[in-house]
Amino acid sequence: MSLSATIQANLNRVRERLAAACARSDRDPAEVTLVAVTKYAAIDWIRALYDLGHRDFGESRPQQLTPRAAQLPADVRWHMIGHLQRNKVRPVMELGATIHSIDTPRLLDRVETLARELSITPDVLIEVNVAGEANKDGCAPAELLGGEFSRTKLTQTRVVGLMTMAPMSDEPESARPVFRRLRELRDELRARAGLFSETNGLSMGMSGDFEVAVEEGATLIRLGSTLFEGLTQ
């Protein structure tokens, strides 16, 4: 099977599974954006997916995002999904990437400062370590609810959602409490006036658990291995 045919078949299977998960939860598949994670993908795989009409791509490493972007057309919508240091923010923002991994108020401050300097309106999500794993980035739910992020006066930056990662497991259902809690946090924050009153997005779910995430309200799912299954570099 050709490269394009393999990726098309993988994409079709993902779309079928996404549609089924939406049907189970009475949702419209159009509410869910599929972000293709390119961390381990060869550039020709990414181009093949682009040629099939896909436009949302995610990178985990800022140092890889810039060269990736230079190799692809300008209409790609980039998503920065990995840990981001404050000194690496500028090139990510210059590419117009949606940042899923704002994990400290200081990082949000840096984004806002650069947004004013560059006269842009970046979209960001606050990363929450719902499961409390020591090896994961993200703020604690208590920190989010405590108002630390609301102390930044945002005039350019738009907080459009929350992001989390569930603990690694061979059982997708084990991720459900984590995804449900992120949705509950989003709803708690929206009930208050202030920074999160218009926040709707939920970035959660990867190749092993995205169907559960969709059932729990995900609006962005981050898939890599499932899209590029059967390909070798």
Side-chain angles (χ1 to χ4, degrees), residues 35-101:
V35 177
V37 178
T38 57
K39 181 177 181 180
Y40 298 113
I43 189 64
D44 57 333
W45 304 359
I46 304 170
R47 287 198 187 104
L49 189 54
Y50 175 90
D51 290 342
L52 292 171
H54 195 77
R55 293 296 181 269
D56 288 278
F57 293 88
E59 259 298 334
S60 299
R61 294 170 289 192
Q63 65 269 28
Q64 189 161 307
L65 177 57
T66 300
R68 289 282 203 206
Q71 294 175 291
L72 292 166
D75 62 339
V76 167
R77 293 181 291 269
W78 285 104
H79 299 254
M80 181 65 213
I81 61 174
H83 180 66
L84 184 59
Q85 296 175 319
R86 286 185 299 129
N87 63 351
K88 301 288 179 62
V89 171
R90 181 183 289 272
V92 171
M93 292 179 62
E94 288 175 342
L95 289 172
T98 297
I99 301 173
H100 292 228
S101 49

Side-chain angles (χ1 to χ4, degrees), residues 87-218:
N87 63 351
K88 301 288 179 62
V89 171
R90 181 183 289 272
V92 171
M93 292 179 62
E94 288 175 342
L95 289 172
T98 297
I99 301 173
H100 292 228
S101 49
I102 300 295
D103 56 358
T104 66
R106 290 185 71 201
L107 181 57
L108 183 60
D109 286 343
R110 176 62 176 159
V111 169
E112 173 63 18
T113 297
L114 285 175
R116 294 175 188 175
E117 180 183 323
L118 298 169
S119 297
I120 59 176
T121 53
D123 289 342
V124 305
L125 297 94
I126 307 299
E127 182 177 3
V128 188
N129 188 348
V130 174
E133 293 183 281
N135 63 336
K136 292 278 179 66
D137 296 311
C139 69
E143 182 182 8
L144 184 69
L145 293 171
E148 282 82 351
F149 288 89
S150 299
R151 295 183 184 132
T152 299
K153 181 174 176 55
L154 302 181
T155 61
Q156 299 286 114
T157 306
R158 298 180 297 200
V159 177
V160 298
L162 305 177
M163 186 267 260
T164 199
M165 294 178 63
M168 294 294 294
S169 173
D170 293 330
E171 177 47 62
E173 195 61 32
S174 67
R176 190 177 298 277
V178 172
F179 298 149
R180 181 173 296 157
R181 181 54 183 150
L182 191 73
R183 172 168 50 81
E184 291 171 349
L185 286 168
R186 190 268 319 266
D187 294 345
E188 288 178 52
L189 291 165
R190 286 177 63 189
R192 308 177 182 183
L195 178 64
F196 298 98
S197 59
E198 301 298 324
T199 295
N200 295 307
L202 293 173
S203 173
M204 57 190 193
M206 302 193 300
S207 289
D209 53 25
F210 75 90
E211 290 152 301
V212 174
V214 169
E215 291 171 1
E216 291 298 331

